[in-house]
């Protein structure tokens, strides 16, 4: 095997591919990155067993071949290389020499026979929409995904695709986040599937804030995302997701509006004396054009107010301040509507 390519392009490809590496791999081979080169360039692939990422890098290939190299070590070596062209050469003992400028490193590789193959989902139904839109939707809901839950489906995010919309829903035992994108011709039939949180977070990191398309293809047990030169395959979670439409309250008796920045600042100030060791709820009283927040614990007490539009009728509710702040921090508009039910 022998090829040369840009150090910047190779580092970018390794950054994306190695996102699939597990901190505690089930097999030693899953600590590595599979390098495969032919006339089309270099393919980089990593997997943790349930999530696989493959990226393509433009390269001039003199001798095709493939090998598995330590993923994180290779990424650090390439990170430190000067800008320019890097050359990879492998001998018959699978020792790979990396040359760039005055730098030279040699890593011993292993055979690729036992490396898990990426699922082939070609020929199944594919959907397309802008990268920036998917990135925004993921960022607005993942905070509500359950971390530990007896129902495995709740450790992922539900995606519902209809003819004219794409909806993402995340829920744990205390809160629910939903984001919907209305579009034309999203799909010719309804799709519902649950993507694990780990896969979604890596997808979000690879996506760009652009109108360039991302394509996802759904198989029986896996989903493939195609993002530029990167392919990501994740298993989908089995089991029933919560019927979120029955959980969301309707016909709330109290509807208020508030400035997002002012409301966030008030709750943040009151929350300063709350910690993981000393927890206490924030008591919220919604009055006439004013919201009153206070909390007290063994450390001390705090009180703050915020202007609102509307009359809450002195309705008092206790909230976990972190849950409130998590939601407020992903609201893109200047104002938020609060619908309250006693």
């Amino acid at each position: 095997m022998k090829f040369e390519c840009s150090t910047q392009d190779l580092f970018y490809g390794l950054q994306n591919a190695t996102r699939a590496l597990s901190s505690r791999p089930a097999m030693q081979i899953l600590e590595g990155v599979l390098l495969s080169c032919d006339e089309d360039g270099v393919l980089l692939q990593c997997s943790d067993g349930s999530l696989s990422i493959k990226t393509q890098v433009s390269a001039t290939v003199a001798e095709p071949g493939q090998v598995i190299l330590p993923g994180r070590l290779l990424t650090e070596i390439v990170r430190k290389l000067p800008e320019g062209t890097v050359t990879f050469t492998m001998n018959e003992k699978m020792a790979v020499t990396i040359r760039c400028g005055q730098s030279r490193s040699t890593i011993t590789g292993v055979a690729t026979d036992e490396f898990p193959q990426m699922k082939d989902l070609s020929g199944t139904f594919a959907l397309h929409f802008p990268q920036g839109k998917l990135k925004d939707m993921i960022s607005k809901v993942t905070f509500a995904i359950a971390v530990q839950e007896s129902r495995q489906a709740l450790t992922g995010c539900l995606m519902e695709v209809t003819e004219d919309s794409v909806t993402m829903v995340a829920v744990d035992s205390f809160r629910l986040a939903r984001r919907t994108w209305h579009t034309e011709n999203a799909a010719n039939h309804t799709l519902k599937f649950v993507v694990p949180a780990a896969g979604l977070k890596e997808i979000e990191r690879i996506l760009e804030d652009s109108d360039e398309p991302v394509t996802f293809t759904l198989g029986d047990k896996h989903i493939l995302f195609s993002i530029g030169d990167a392919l990501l395959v994740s298993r989908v979670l089995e089991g029933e997701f919560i019927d979120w439409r029955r959980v969301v309250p309707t016909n709330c008796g109290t509807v208020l509006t508030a400035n997002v920045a002012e409301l966030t600042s008030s709750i943040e100030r009151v929350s300063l004396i709350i910690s993981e060791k000393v927890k206490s709820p924030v008591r919220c009283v919604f009055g006439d054009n004013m919201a009153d927040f206070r909390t007290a614990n063994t450390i001390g007490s705090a009180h703050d107010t915020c202007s609102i539009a509307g009359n809450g009728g002195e309705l008092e509710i206790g909230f976990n301040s972190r849950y409130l702040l998590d939601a407020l921090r992903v609201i893109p508009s200047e104002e938020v509507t609060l619908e309250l039910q006693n």
Side-chain angles (χ1 to χ4, degrees), residues 18-316:
T18 54
R19 296 184 192 281
L21 292 178
S22 171
S23 58
R24 296 180 179 178
M27 301 183 293
Q28 186 175 2
I29 200 168
L30 297 182
E31 296 178 354
V33 54
L34 170 61
L35 273 76
S36 176
C37 65
D38 56 24
E39 64 275 9
D40 295 326
V42 175
L43 289 177
L44 309 169
Q45 182 178 337
C46 295
S47 176
D48 67 359
S50 61
L51 173 68
S52 299
I53 300 178
K54 180 188 292 185
T55 60
Q56 184 165 1
V57 178
S58 298
T60 301
V61 178
E63 298 177 16
Q66 57 182 7
V67 67
I68 295 175
L69 297 175
R72 291 190 170 88
L73 173 60
L74 179 60
T75 303
E76 284 306 306
I77 290 174
V78 175
R79 183 199 302 271
K80 299 295 184 180
L81 292 176
E83 292 186 6
T85 300
V86 59
T87 302
F88 279 63
T89 306
M90 183 174 72
N91 64 20
E92 66 279 0
K93 295 183 179 180
M94 306 193 81
V96 177
T97 300
I98 305 167
R99 293 184 176 90
C100 181
Q102 303 301 311
S103 173
R104 172 177 170 171
S105 302
T106 299
I107 311 175
T108 301
V110 298
T112 62
D113 302 346
E114 298 181 5
F115 197 84
Q117 295 297 311
M118 181 174 278
K119 299 293 182 181
D120 183 9
L121 300 181
S122 60
T124 54
F125 184 73
L127 297 169
H128 315 271
F129 51 96
Q131 290 192 35
K133 181 56 66 175
L134 180 60
K135 185 180 181 73
D136 177 72
M137 292 178 70
I138 294 173
S139 68
K140 298 296 191 293
V141 300
T142 49
F143 69 89
I145 294 177
V147 178
Q148 295 179 340
E149 177 62 49
S150 57
R151 296 173 62 179
Q152 187 185 40
L154 297 187
T155 61
C157 180
L158 173 69
M159 293 189 71
E160 292 185 349
V161 184
T162 66
E163 293 182 354
D164 58 1
S165 68
V166 178
T167 298
M168 300 185 71
V169 181
V171 60
D172 59 16
S173 301
F174 305 99
R175 53 191 172 166
L176 180 149
R178 175 175 61 90
R179 189 79 171 170
T180 299
W181 177 49
H182 296 282
T183 183
E184 295 181 0
N185 303 319
N188 54 19
H189 61 281
T190 300
L191 298 173
K192 293 177 66 175
F193 51 92
V194 181
V195 184
L200 274 180
K201 290 174 181 177
E202 299 309 333
I203 292 168
E204 181 186 358
R205 292 186 177 104
I206 296 174
L207 289 167
E208 298 179 351
D209 292 313
S210 72
D211 291 329
E212 290 297 311
V214 52
T215 301
F216 65 84
T217 307
L218 183 64
D220 292 335
K221 294 184 177 181
H222 293 82
I223 184 168
L224 180 148
F225 290 85
S226 178
I227 309 167
D229 291 328
L231 294 177
L232 185 149
V233 173
S234 171
R235 66 185 177 92
V236 293
L237 295 178
E238 299 179 353
E240 287 294 321
F241 199 82
I242 192 171
D243 185 356
W244 62 269
R245 290 177 175 83
R246 297 181 60 182
V247 175
V248 177
T250 58
N251 300 320
C252 294
T254 302
V255 179
L256 310 169
T257 59
N259 180 275
V260 173
E262 293 178 2
L263 184 59
T264 302
S265 295
S266 289
I267 298 173
E268 284 178 338
R269 287 190 289 268
V270 171
S271 303
L272 289 175
I273 67 169
I274 301 173
S275 66
E276 288 298 318
K277 292 183 178 180
V278 185
K279 297 181 179 180
S280 57
V282 171
R283 309 301 301 182
C284 310
V285 179
F286 300 95
D288 187 9
N289 294 320
M290 186 66 66
D292 185 284
F293 306 107
R294 63 181 68 235
T295 189
N297 53 38
T298 56
I299 295 176
S301 62
H303 172 249
D304 210 293
T305 60
C306 176
S307 298
I308 58 174
N311 190 340
E314 302 304 315
L315 177 63
E316 181 175 353

